Amino acid sequence: MSIIFRYLTRQTLITMLAVSGVLLLVFMSGRFIKYLAEAAAGELAGDVLFAIMAYRFPGFLELILPLGFFIGILLAYGRMYLESEMTVLFACGVSDRQVLGHTLVAALVVMLVVGAMSLWVTPWGMKNVDRIFHEQSQVTEFEMLAPGRFQTLESGGRVTYTEALSDDKRKLQGVFIAEYSEADQQLSLVVAEEGSQFVDEDTGSRFLVLQDGARFQGLPGELDYAITEFQAYGLKVAEQDVRGGEDEEGMSTAQLMASDDPELRALLHWRFSLPLIVPVVTLLAVRLSRVNPRQGRFFHLLPAMMIYILYLGLLIVARDALASGRVPEWIGMAWVHVLFLALGLWLQFGPAWLRRRRLEREGGARAQA
């Protein structure tokens, strides 16, 4: 039995790792492209992208592992049914309950990993992501510049271009700045040979001091532009506000447990729900993996995935209902788990129970006859 257990566990976990790796690559690539676009637009510094993705990795993993394990069971056991390996196991005395029991042991390991991610590692990672975003929000807009590229910045529809930028991002060469004022609908163009940042020690305000340039100001389409040549021109630099933090996601589980806020309590229930998904979907997947060789290897995947999507969708609905106060906290999100646990138990043991009851009735009828 230990050989069978190791074989079933190896088949399931190898398939789970392959599926989870593909899903991680897809989801993390999409998120990385989003951050990369923000860095290209000057909203994020390029050197923090990989740190953000590393800290967000546990958050992706906690969502993907249950799905990967579910699909892993469907693919691994489905193949074994098609190739008659399960038929051989059953002929050798291995029962359905033993297969389910062996699979639940592997599911326990996955559940512990998901639980650790959900309750501790992911909040720690999101807290660090919030810290990085906060640090980025303190960075001035000109520290976000990339040489040789026109960039639209946050402060008043300003477009800035610089030919070269020093390593410390304090000195600029070949500066062009265009700014449109909606108040008087005037366009202001500033060109300068070079520029540098200056900090007022009294107020802490930052200025970009441009040298050897000119300023053109007027209405677009008109010819009466005001032209001012300068040796030094000071331009106040606004601080960049990248985004508001994802503070709730970064709160520790202990903080959520001590809170009375319905939204935070709903987030707490969500964190406890993620590891509970694993044993429930295991119960579903073991039964749904049974395939008739005539149906094909992937015939059972569509209805199984529909059940999983419905499960996850109802959990999201239950979280929203709990956060809005429509569902009492003592019920929480448990009703969704109970519903699909009952479905899994029925799929696993219901047909055998019905068959046994039918045989008992037929046997009783024959005895009376």
Side-chain angles (χ1 to χ4, degrees):
M1 293 303 296
S2 62
I3 296 176
I4 295 174
F5 170 70
R6 289 198 302 269
Y7 179 72
L8 293 175
T9 303
R10 183 171 64 252
Q11 293 295 317
T12 303
L13 294 182
I14 289 176
T15 309
M16 180 200 73
L17 291 176
V19 172
S20 299
V22 173
L23 293 175
L24 273 174
L25 182 62
V26 172
F27 286 106
M28 293 190 69
S29 296
R31 181 65 65 169
F32 183 74
I33 291 173
K34 177 178 178 294
Y35 289 144
L36 195 62
E38 293 181 1
E43 299 176 6
L44 281 175
D47 56 356
V48 302
L49 296 183
F50 288 103
I52 293 175
M53 293 304 300
Y55 286 128
R56 296 213 61 173
F57 179 78
F60 290 108
L61 200 61
E62 70 179 15
L63 295 173
I64 288 176
L65 276 182
L67 177 58
F69 191 69
F70 179 70
I71 298 178
I73 295 175
L74 293 174
L75 293 179
Y77 287 7
R79 180 193 63 79
M80 294 176 68
Y81 276 107
L82 286 176
E83 297 178 0
S84 301
E85 292 185 29
M86 282 295 187
T87 304
V88 174
L89 289 179
F90 295 149
C92 293
V94 178
S95 65
D96 291 341
R97 295 188 179 185
Q98 287 176 317
V99 172
L100 176 62
H102 293 331
T103 311
L104 286 174
V105 173
L108 178 62
V109 177
V110 179
M111 184 179 71
L112 292 176
V113 173
V114 174
M117 295 289 176
S118 175
L119 297 177
W120 295 289
V121 184
T122 297
W124 169 80
M126 292 306 301
K127 184 177 181 180
N128 283 279
V129 170
D130 292 339
R131 174 182 56 79
I132 293 175
F133 286 156
H134 178 72
E135 291 174 353
Q136 291 293 294
S137 69
Q138 305 303 314
V139 176
T140 62
E141 61 182 30
F142 288 99
E143 291 172 320
M144 293 289 189
L145 286 176
R149 181 181 300 142
F150 287 93
Q151 293 182 235
T152 302
L153 303 178
E154 296 285 338
S155 53
R158 178 182 295 163
V159 177
T160 305
Y161 174 87
T162 179
E163 292 180 356
L165 191 64
S166 63
D167 293 337
D168 59 0
K169 297 189 177 182
R170 298 296 179 181
K171 295 186 180 297
L172 296 76
Q173 298 289 331
V175 183
F176 170 85
I177 299 175
E179 188 170 9
Y180 179 75
S181 175
E182 294 185 357
D184 53 12
Q185 296 184 344
Q186 287 196 341
L187 178 65
S188 176
L189 303 176
V190 179
V191 293
E193 293 292 333
E194 60 183 19
S196 61
Q197 289 198 52
F198 168 75
V199 180
D200 190 335
E201 296 180 357
D202 295 332
T203 62
S205 299
R206 297 191 180 192
F207 296 87
L208 178 66
V209 180
L210 302 175
Q211 298 175 350
D212 300 328
R215 181 172 183 263
F216 306 86
Q217 186 175 14
L219 292 172
E222 302 292 337
L223 298 178
D224 56 343
Y225 270 70
I227 302 175
T228 305
E229 295 183 354
F230 57 82
Q231 291 183 343
Y233 176 76
L235 184 66
K236 188 173 182 180
V237 178
E239 289 187 346
Q240 179 87 347
D241 185 13
V242 176
R243 58 162 61 81
E246 299 161 320
D247 296 331
E248 293 182 358
E249 299 294 335
M251 295 179 65
S252 67
T253 302
Q255 290 175 308
L256 297 181
M257 295 179 69
S259 175
D260 295 328
D261 189 319
E263 292 188 0
L264 298 182
R265 301 297 296 182
L267 178 57
L268 177 65
H269 282 261
W270 174 262
R271 290 184 182 178
F272 279 105
S273 290
L274 289 178
L276 293 178
I277 293 176
V278 179
V280 176
V281 298
T282 300
L283 195 61
L284 291 168
V286 170
R287 180 62 182 86
L288 293 173
S289 64
R290 298 180 182 179
V291 182
N292 188 327
R294 296 181 180 180
Q295 294 175 338
R297 183 173 182 178
F298 303 104
F299 179 80
H300 61 304
L301 285 181
L302 181 59
M305 291 305 302
M306 293 299 295
I307 292 176
Y308 187 91
I309 292 172
L310 180 62
Y311 188 8
L312 195 60
L314 285 179
L315 284 176
I316 295 174
V317 171
R319 176 180 174 177
D320 293 339
L322 184 60
S324 61
R326 297 195 303 269
V327 174
E329 188 177 350
W330 65 271
I331 296 179
M333 303 167 67
W335 63 272
V336 182
H337 298 292
V338 171
L339 176 63
F340 282 86
L341 178 62
L343 176 61
L345 291 174
W346 174 256
L347 290 175
Q348 189 69 35
F349 304 109
W353 180 80
L354 290 177
R355 185 167 56 253
R356 186 169 58 251
R357 292 283 297 174
R358 179 173 57 82
L359 292 175
E360 289 176 355
R361 287 195 301 270
E362 291 178 356
R366 291 175 180 177
Q368 292 177 358

